[in-house]
Amino acid sequence: TIDAKDATSGIKSKDGVTYCVVEGKAPIPLTKEQMESLDWKSYDAEKGIEVGKNKHFVVYARAEDNAGHVTYASSDEIVYDNTSIDEKDIVIVSKNNSAITVGESVDLQIYVKDAAPSSGIKSISYVITDANGDSLTEEITAFEFNDPDSPTFAELAASKTVDITVDAGINSVEGLKIAVTAIDNAGNSTTRTMPLSECQNTVEIFVSYGEGKPTVEGEEKDYYNQVRTATVTVTGRADVLRHTTPVLKDNKVTNETVEWTLSENNESYTAEVVLEDGTHSLLVEYTDVFGDSHDFTPPKAVVIDTTAPTGTVMVGENKWDKIVELLTFGLYSSDKVTVS
């Protein structure tokens, strides 16, 4: 709501109070000219101001009294977030891609992302259960936002990564599960439950050069006499791959023109790149949301050569006459020649 008063002349009865909603920006000082250029709308105190769901916005207000004096004001940043965090945006993996072994402690990493417009992550907690869903631990808080009196939008955490450890005493039987609950600052809550044994993050990378073997296979390089198309595939867990994109380098230079396609089930990225004449040493880099790098370089470089060799024959100075004499007269003789 907007409340405007003027004790002397009073607020104009028509368009005395107007407003403008600006999305996606923090309130910033505006000049008079900038304020006047905004799309002002008449304010109805009974209807208030209607703003759609899932918005990040600022409301500017303009009040004019009957004497023609104008005052401008703005609200703080407002986030209207009525959408819970997507379950796929709660990612749980073993740290450093470590194997998960019953009877041993397990270091895990949890990544949570609150999609825009984000009200920020308020807390991340978890509980370990047995195969039947019975809790083996109390609910443990791994992260809690220390809410200042009036946080700015920049202070809200749209994503957060936390490290936890499941002790060997808990991880003592098969079939354990971890249930992670993420709550945003608007109060929306989401819980994701997954088997502890499936928390390992395995990323695999493959490179192929189409059908057919190389024209010549070498120890360090393979040679092709035609242009080839390299197909690069990165596979992994859908909840991991959907957050970051691979990078393809050729001779250590990043190929910015490569278009990566994420499969419909989010379990693989694919890219194709045409290899022209020259030597190609490919490097595929994939860094996940936890900063872990999964890199791959084919064991051999690839040489593409689509042109035949060219050359010239050089004859030294003063030798051409002797060659001509030999070619012209050297094959003639008055003697009988017997070829056997």
Side-chain angles (χ1 to χ4, degrees), residues 24-322:
K25 293 182 179 179
I28 57 174
L30 299 177
T31 65
K32 180 180 178 181
E33 290 75 17
Q34 289 173 320
M35 294 297 289
E36 291 294 346
S37 67
L38 295 177
D39 183 18
W40 297 101
K41 297 179 180 179
S42 294
Y43 175 70
D44 187 330
E46 293 183 0
K47 294 182 179 179
I49 300 174
E50 293 185 2
V51 180
K53 298 177 180 179
N54 296 316
K55 301 287 186 180
H56 166 215
F57 61 95
V58 173
V59 177
Y60 289 94
R62 180 184 185 277
E64 183 177 355
D65 64 18
N66 286 297
H69 301 298
V70 177
T71 298
Y72 296 98
S74 74
S75 69
D76 293 328
E77 288 177 276
I78 301 171
V79 178
Y80 182 16
D81 179 4
N82 72 332
T83 302
S84 298
I85 295 170
D86 191 329
E87 188 175 323
K88 295 177 182 177
D89 286 337
I90 301 176
V91 185
I92 313 161
V93 303
S94 58
K95 196 168 185 178
N96 300 322
N97 197 27
S98 301
I100 298 171
T101 305
V102 173
E104 297 181 2
S105 62
V106 180
D107 292 325
L108 299 176
Q109 291 180 296
I110 301 171
Y111 170 82
V112 178
K113 177 183 176 182
D114 187 21
S118 171
S119 61
I121 299 168
K122 175 70 174 178
S123 66
I124 302 172
S125 60
Y126 70 96
V127 61
I128 304 298
T129 70
D130 61 18
N132 298 319
D134 295 327
S135 298
L136 301 179
T137 66
E138 296 181 351
E139 187 169 15
I140 302 170
T141 300
F143 166 76
E144 189 166 20
F145 179 53
N146 294 321
D147 188 4
D149 292 336
S150 232
T152 65
F153 187 76
E155 291 176 314
L156 303 178
S159 64
K160 190 68 180 178
T161 300
V162 295
D163 293 352
I164 67 171
T165 298
V166 180
D167 294 333
I170 299 296
N171 185 32
S172 58
V173 294
E174 299 280 355
L176 296 188
K177 297 179 181 180
I178 179 171
V180 175
T181 299
I183 303 174
D184 63 26
N185 285 297
N188 302 305
S189 178
T190 302
T191 299
R192 182 181 185 186
T193 302
M194 66 181 299
L196 205 60
S197 60
E198 296 179 9
C199 290
Q200 189 171 4
N201 177 28
T202 301
V203 174
E204 295 184 298
I205 302 174
F206 309 91
V207 177
S208 64
Y209 302 102
E211 297 181 358
K213 294 182 178 181
T215 308
V216 177
E217 295 188 32
E219 292 185 3
E220 297 182 354
K221 299 177 181 179
D222 284 338
Y223 298 81
Y224 293 88
N225 60 12
Q226 294 180 335
V227 171
R228 308 292 286 189
T229 297
T231 301
V232 183
T233 305
V234 180
T235 65
R237 279 173 40 183
D239 58 342
V240 174
L241 292 187
R242 71 196 298 263
H243 290 287
T244 55
T245 306
V247 174
L248 177 62
K249 295 183 178 181
D250 190 354
N251 298 327
K252 297 183 179 181
V253 178
T254 301
N255 192 332
E256 302 289 356
T257 64
V258 170
E259 293 186 6
W260 293 93
T261 301
L262 184 60
S263 64
E264 193 171 329
N265 61 7
N266 292 344
E267 292 182 353
S268 67
Y269 273 105
T270 303
E272 292 186 345
V273 58
V274 177
L275 304 181
E276 304 284 356
D277 278 49
T279 301
H280 303 271
S281 180
L282 301 183
L283 168 62
V284 187
E285 297 178 342
Y286 180 74
T287 303
D288 60 31
V289 292
F290 301 100
D292 294 331
S293 181
H294 309 263
D295 301 340
F296 175 76
T297 296
K300 295 181 184 180
V302 172
V303 179
I304 308 297
D305 184 359
T306 63
T307 59
T310 59
T312 58
V313 177
M314 302 295 294
V315 178
E317 187 178 359
N318 299 324
K319 290 187 178 180
W320 178 248
D321 291 340
K322 294 181 180 180

